[in-house]
Amino acid sequence: MKKSRSKLASSLAARVPYDVSKPIFELNSVPRGRGWQGTADKLNDKKETPDGKLDGLLEALNEHQLAGEKLVTLYEASDSVMKAMRAKLKSATVSTGPLQEAYPFLLNETELEKLPLGQPVLLAIEEFGGGIGAVFGSVRARRERVVLDPSSFADGTANALSIYDEVVGLKLIRHQAFDVIWIPGSGDYFDLRVDCPRNTQADIARGSQMIAMDVFRKLVGTDPFKKPLNLFPAMKAMYDDASEGRVVELAFGTTTRSIKQERMRLSGDCLRDELYHKGGKEKLKTPVKPYKLSLAYTIDLGGGVEAHPEVNLHTTRRVAENPNPQLFDALIRKSVGLFDYDYVRERIIHFA
């Protein structure tokens, strides 16, 4: 892989949430700074980050592109279909272009402005985790709310806006996305992993799934996206297993026709054991049937370093009340790399 301190620093900052980056730097024995700007300063300093540390950080960047912040759908396929797709990927060729030439680094904001939105290109064929994956890159935009200062406007405009307590603007922020379709060497399910960074609108994530599926069909010459794994049954099974992760968000309906929505991410505790939750649960005549569940895990990465990935299985009460409720997407957040992503993936399959 190519080495460039400045590109490595800017790519990590653009790709990895700062609160998720801590294990990456601990595993590579590299100090972080205050925020990404301070960390970038340390990465660009050879005394703080010797040359020998760059390969490990670059590998961590690549792993996060393959497994970090993904909206995941698992599809069932036969051995023959899996084998045919693996063969197609091994013979696939990657064309040239700005995204391909930069990979595994990310383009900066100025470079992204020159490229069209929403047109995925094949960046690489990567073999990892005992399987093979097609990595697609594209430029997307997400809306961010920006609070504006009315006093910064021209006099007439500022006066007109003075009646409002807050003035907010919507800004489209371009970012580089990595979508991965991974075919395992063995097993019943392959992965559609669509990039879903924080603050991504649901319609953009769903649209990105459709586009990724379409380009993959053309790449392998077949349509393998026929039987997604229904994850809805996994919600109750994972909630009921007291040893399974830490429940940090939960929503369910009750026999009294009320809706309960609970969150407890900051305390480090589990909602299963929270006093008000336990007290209310004991009064119910029927078991809790979640339609929204978030589980956090603590995973040992070695050397005393821990990862804290989170799986979100979210749908609506209306879906839950159907005779055959279905949920096909799992949002896996805060995974550091392939190891903790694979752990969460296997837990989902186990309970589904």
Side-chain angles (χ1 to χ4, degrees):
M1 289 183 176
K2 301 170 287 186
K3 294 182 182 179
S4 168
R5 288 178 178 273
S6 61
K7 288 183 179 179
L8 177 60
S10 62
S11 296
L12 282 167
R15 175 70 220 172
V16 185
Y18 184 71
D19 60 325
V20 178
S21 69
K22 185 173 181 284
I24 290 176
F25 288 88
E26 289 178 337
L27 287 171
N28 288 280
S29 300
V30 174
R32 288 194 307 171
R34 185 181 296 275
W36 271 119
Q37 183 55 59
T39 302
D41 293 339
K42 290 183 179 291
L43 290 176
N44 284 311
D45 185 339
K46 288 190 175 183
K47 292 182 179 179
E48 295 278 5
T49 310
D51 288 342
K53 301 291 185 179
L54 298 181
D55 284 340
L57 291 172
L58 188 54
E59 183 61 30
L61 169 66
N62 191 218
E63 283 202 21
H64 198 270
Q65 290 165 174
L66 299 174
E69 304 299 310
K70 301 296 186 188
L71 182 66
V72 181
T73 308
L74 300 164
Y75 286 89
E76 187 174 359
S78 66
D79 289 341
S80 60
V81 171
M82 295 276 203
K83 182 178 180 180
M85 288 193 293
R86 288 194 295 267
K88 283 284 187 179
L89 293 186
K90 287 181 179 180
S91 63
T93 58
V94 178
S95 60
T96 59
L99 293 175
Q100 296 96 321
E101 292 166 6
Y103 184 78
F105 297 119
L106 283 72
L107 298 180
N108 60 39
E109 188 174 346
T110 301
E111 293 168 325
L112 292 177
E113 286 289 343
K114 300 175 183 178
L115 298 177
L117 290 172
Q119 296 186 17
V121 295
L122 181 63
L123 297 180
I125 301 297
E126 299 270 15
E127 296 192 41
F128 59 92
I132 186 169
V135 185
F136 297 96
S138 63
V139 183
R140 294 185 193 144
R142 62 176 179 268
R143 299 185 192 92
E144 290 193 1
R145 298 173 75 256
V146 181
V147 178
L148 305 176
D149 181 4
S151 65
S152 64
F153 290 86
D155 291 341
T157 306
N159 291 335
L161 296 175
S162 63
I163 63 172
Y164 298 101
D165 296 322
E166 186 178 63
V167 180
V168 175
L170 292 178
K171 184 178 181 182
L172 282 180
I173 306 295
R174 288 196 173 210
H175 65 98
Q176 188 171 337
F178 296 84
D179 301 328
V180 180
I181 298 174
W182 179 71
I183 316 300
S186 61
D188 299 322
Y189 303 99
F190 70 94
D191 297 26
L192 168 61
R193 311 177 185 180
V194 171
D195 246 0
C196 194
R198 296 168 188 178
N199 301 318
T200 297
Q201 287 76 32
D203 57 338
I204 293 178
R206 303 281 184 242
S208 300
Q209 285 180 317
M210 297 298 104
I211 295 171
M213 292 163 68
D214 187 51
V215 295
F216 188 77
R217 290 186 189 102
K218 295 175 182 176
L219 179 65
V220 299
T222 188
D223 180 10
F225 303 103
K226 295 178 180 179
K227 196 174 181 182
L229 178 63
N230 184 12
L231 306 180
F232 190 90
M235 271 195 283
K236 177 170 171 50
M238 296 173 96
Y239 168 80
D240 286 343
D241 188 337
S243 65
E244 186 64 22
R246 178 169 60 89
V247 178
V248 295
E249 185 170 352
L250 180 71
F252 59 96
T254 72
T255 52
T256 58
R257 305 301 294 172
S258 65
I259 297 174
K260 304 300 181 185
Q261 298 191 38
E262 306 172 2
R263 292 183 183 181
M264 195 165 63
R265 279 186 170 84
L266 300 180
S267 66
D269 296 324
C270 177
L271 273 170
R272 295 187 189 96
D273 303 319
E274 195 265 336
L275 291 178
Y276 283 95
H277 178 75
K278 290 177 68 176
K281 182 179 175 182
E282 290 172 359
K283 300 292 185 181
L284 294 175
K285 297 179 181 179
T286 59
V288 168
K289 296 181 180 180
Y291 61 84
K292 182 181 290 186
L293 176 72
S294 295
L295 279 172
Y297 293 89
T298 298
I299 298 175
D300 184 4
L301 300 179
V305 179
E306 293 179 340
H308 301 280
E310 183 176 300
V311 58
N312 301 277
L313 300 172
H314 290 184
T315 185
T316 65
R317 186 178 182 182
R318 178 175 295 181
V319 169
E321 291 176 345
N322 289 335
N324 181 29
Q326 296 180 326
L327 171 66
F328 299 123
D329 301 324
L331 181 57
I332 301 179
R333 294 212 180 280
K334 301 182 182 180
S335 54
V336 174
L338 295 172
F339 184 81
D340 51 333
Y341 170 89
D342 287 342
Y343 179 89
V344 175
R345 177 187 186 273
E346 290 305 313
R347 299 313 293 161
I348 295 170
I349 293 174
H350 171 76
F351 282 99

